[in-house]
Amino acid sequence: MCFHFTRLHGSCFSFIFQPKGNLSQTNFLSQLLHFYILLHYWHWFFPCPKLHHNPKLQNMPVLTSSSSSSFTYISLSIFLLLILYNTTVICSATTRTKTTHPNRQLSVNYYAKSCPQVEQLIGSITSQQFKESPVSGPATIRLFFHDCFVEGCDASIIISSKQQGNKMLAEKDAPDNKDLREEGFESVRKAKAVVESKCPGVVSCADILAISARDYVHLAGGPYYQVKKGRWDGKISMASKVASNIPQANFTVDQLLKLFSSKGLTLEDLVVLSGAHTFGFAHCQNFVSRLYDYRGSKQPDPVIDPRLLRALRMSCPHYGGNADIVAPFDVTTPFVFDHAYYGNLEAKLGLLASDQALSLDPRTKPIVQALAKDKQKFFQAFAAAMEKMGSIGVKRGRKHGEKRKDCSTHML
């Protein structure tokens, strides 16, 4: 920030005030005070030369030394007070902008005082669910992905269409979300009930979903990472917004990159987050075209391993198959969160066309190879990418969000 002064009320000034360092309010005012003192003494020791050589100034009133000094002093005082006032307003506005930035509001200790046992309460449910129904793990993680990619991480995917109060369908009932497993929704509902019994009206469904997803990653053998909290639940849930924001099973890498980039995620984030397919299952409809009519060729995908092709065709006929049949994303360790997914892609054992494409594209292939070799590298990268994804479109405050007591029902 610079201030230029030239010929101010009879005094000559032609220099720049340039604050140094970060423009905090305290530093700025300190530097401004030094500038003011310098300005004051500059006038006394270096008075302006006479200006009568300029014809346009011949008729201007001439100030005496005393009146000039007083007038300059008063003028500068008023001017600097205005600067101080504007600076305070600007600094306050900047501070307000920063404090309301969604990502900067999230913190690991957000519920340290209001509900310190929140993670233990949720953990009691996720551990029980994982023992009784291991599919709860991938179901909840997929639920978290689908939530964050549509309207941000705000638990809007859990809203029931029956509670919308009109004929508009909620995200949950969009065609692209129809095969989300009930176990994921059930995990969040149970965890919410336990948390509400101890900390009523405090913890959002959005935070419960984020914590539950982390728990299941760890329970299945994956990394344990800290979850930043402070999300509010979203007020908007529209099925019409889902299709354009969810990756499809036959997406190319270009299409995937475009979608992930629109969410603020990078090429590496794309490959790392796809690693969540190291456990879980997909319905036949998501990959059947690869088996019989790949991209309209009337032939199977030439990249797929012949053994995998035969096995999948046994379960998924071209027409008339059972819509409930599923196949594992990871054919080697389908219930374990590890890095085998990437080794499978190298061996042409990827289930979805969008997964297999990551090992073929020159932009993503090196990342796949690196993660296939190093499980710890994948774990570290996955934890960081999940935190990044968990900050997408975070809602804050009553203007944009709510704290639902029942995750499927809007607050009244």
Side-chain angles (χ1 to χ4, degrees):
M1 182 182 295
C2 300
F3 298 105
H4 299 264
F5 297 85
T6 57
R7 304 192 183 283
L8 180 60
H9 294 297
S11 297
C12 284
F13 306 102
S14 183
F15 56 93
I16 298 174
F17 168 53
Q18 177 68 57
K20 297 179 180 179
N22 295 328
L23 192 62
S24 68
Q25 187 171 354
T26 304
N27 290 340
F28 178 83
L29 296 182
S30 175
Q31 293 181 46
L32 191 61
L33 178 61
H34 286 87
F35 169 67
Y36 177 88
I37 295 171
L38 176 63
L39 196 63
H40 179 70
Y41 284 102
W42 182 283
H43 169 75
W44 284 105
F45 290 105
F46 301 97
C48 286
K50 293 184 178 181
L51 304 176
H52 296 294
H53 64 277
N54 189 338
K56 294 182 180 180
L57 302 177
Q58 289 288 344
N59 298 324
M60 289 183 65
V62 179
L63 299 176
T64 64
S65 176
S66 176
S67 64
S68 175
S69 298
S70 299
F71 189 76
T72 300
Y73 184 86
I74 295 171
S75 299
L76 284 175
S77 297
I78 295 173
F79 181 70
L80 290 171
L81 283 172
L82 288 173
I83 291 177
L84 290 173
Y85 174 77
N86 288 330
T87 302
T88 302
V89 171
I90 292 171
C91 289
S92 298
T94 302
T95 302
R96 285 197 301 270
T97 300
K98 288 182 178 179
T99 55
T100 56
H101 192 287
N103 296 356
R104 293 175 184 171
Q105 283 292 310
L106 299 182
S107 66
V108 172
N109 298 318
Y110 185 82
Y111 297 111
K113 294 183 178 179
S114 58
C115 191
Q117 70 273 44
V118 59
E119 299 213 18
Q120 289 79 11
L121 294 171
I122 296 172
S124 68
I125 298 298
T126 52
S127 59
Q128 179 184 353
Q129 285 288 108
F130 189 73
K131 291 177 182 177
E132 296 177 357
S133 179
V135 76
S136 297
T140 305
I141 294 170
R142 189 174 179 218
L143 190 64
F144 186 48
F145 274 67
H146 281 230
D147 181 47
C148 290
F149 268 63
V150 183
E151 288 293 322
C153 306
D154 61 358
S156 55
I157 197 168
I158 305 176
I159 287 289
S160 171
S161 293
K162 295 179 182 178
Q163 300 296 332
Q164 292 283 89
N166 53 44
K167 296 181 180 180
M168 182 174 61
L169 291 178
E171 290 175 32
K172 179 181 179 181
D173 294 316
D176 290 287
N177 286 333
K178 282 292 189 180
D179 62 350
L180 291 174
R181 294 188 64 92
E182 180 60 27
E183 288 86 350
F185 295 96
E186 187 67 14
S187 288
V188 177
R189 279 196 293 267
K190 288 183 176 180
K192 178 64 172 176
V194 171
V195 172
E196 282 293 311
S197 69
K198 301 294 183 180
C199 311
V202 174
V203 184
S204 67
C205 300
D207 278 341
I208 289 176
L209 177 54
I211 295 169
S212 298
R214 184 280 313 279
D215 284 357
Y216 283 122
V217 167
H218 185 59
L219 287 167
Y224 182 89
Y225 53 90
Q226 296 288 348
V227 175
K228 291 185 177 180
K229 298 167 280 290
R231 304 165 185 82
W232 284 51
D233 300 324
K235 296 180 178 181
I236 299 173
S237 183
M238 298 171 60
S240 59
K241 295 190 175 185
V242 174
S244 60
N245 287 291
I246 295 296
Q248 302 298 316
N250 61 348
F251 264 15
T252 65
V253 172
D254 283 334
Q255 290 172 310
L256 289 170
L257 282 175
K258 182 178 179 180
L259 178 58
F260 274 66
S261 179
S262 71
K263 309 300 177 185
L265 301 172
T266 65
L267 174 73
E268 183 175 1
D269 293 328
L270 161 62
V271 181
V272 170
L273 290 172
S274 296
H277 284 173
T278 192
F279 71 158
F281 302 81
H283 289 82
C284 291
Q285 65 184 24
N286 292 306
F287 55 85
V288 68
S289 63
R290 290 190 73 202
L291 311 181
Y292 302 96
D293 187 19
Y294 181 65
R295 301 197 184 283
S297 66
K298 308 296 183 183
Q299 298 293 325
D301 184 350
V303 175
I304 193 170
D305 184 280
R307 296 168 298 170
L308 179 61
L309 176 62
R310 287 193 296 270
L312 292 176
R313 277 183 164 181
M314 291 176 63
S315 301
C316 301
H318 196 185
Y319 302 106
N322 186 338
D324 294 328
I325 296 294
V326 296
F329 286 115
D330 178 350
V331 297
T332 54
T333 55
F335 289 99
V336 179
F337 195 99
D338 53 22
H339 67 318
Y341 164 82
Y342 298 103
N344 291 338
L345 296 186
E346 290 183 309
K348 300 180 180 180
L349 295 174
L351 183 64
L352 305 182
S354 56
D355 285 334
Q356 193 61 64
L358 298 177
S359 68
L360 304 175
D361 191 284
R363 294 167 293 182
T364 52
K365 183 177 180 179
I367 305 174
V368 170
Q369 292 173 330
L371 298 178
K373 295 177 182 177
D374 192 336
K375 182 171 74 172
Q376 288 307 312
K377 182 175 183 177
F378 167 54
F379 281 7
Q380 292 172 3
F382 186 80
M386 285 290 278
E387 178 182 327
K388 190 174 180 180
M389 187 186 76
S391 297
I392 296 174
V394 168
K395 309 297 187 297
R396 293 288 303 159
R398 298 192 182 278
K399 182 178 180 181
H400 303 288
E402 58 186 4
K403 295 284 183 73
R404 296 197 286 271
K405 292 183 179 180
D406 178 349
C407 294
S408 65
T409 308
H410 284 300
M411 293 291 292
L412 299 177

